[in-house]
Amino acid sequence: MSKLEAALNKASEPETSKCPNVVVLPGGNGYEAQLLAEGYLAEIESAIDEAEGQDKYLRWLHDYSRRQTEEKGNHSRLQERGRA
């Protein structure tokens, strides 16, 4: 935040709390994480379906889920061997 405040000061702009064109998301979230935190998952999925097609989205989701499961499995095997 201090770098942001310094940049605003250098640009002769007010501090973040008084600058209407600066938005600071809570909890250090990025834009996408904040949308999910505020409950927009259904809208995000719908937009992806519309833009990419449901089949492509479902393949991506399946592949992502598989990779997560594999990573957890690999981590568990490393833990069993005392390497994690």
Side-chain angles (χ1 to χ4, degrees), residues 5-58:
E5 296 293 351
L8 289 171
N9 186 37
K10 187 175 182 178
S12 300
E13 294 289 337
E15 62 188 54
T16 55
S17 63
K18 297 177 183 169
C19 193
N21 58 339
V22 173
V23 176
V24 178
L25 299 174
N29 283 342
Y31 181 73
E32 293 85 357
Q34 188 61 32
L35 289 173
L36 291 171
E38 291 185 18
Y40 287 99
L41 179 60
E43 290 81 358
I44 292 168
E45 289 175 337
S46 176
I48 293 171
D49 287 350
E50 186 176 321
E52 301 291 337
Q54 187 174 20
D55 289 339
K56 187 174 182 180
Y57 171 69
L58 290 175

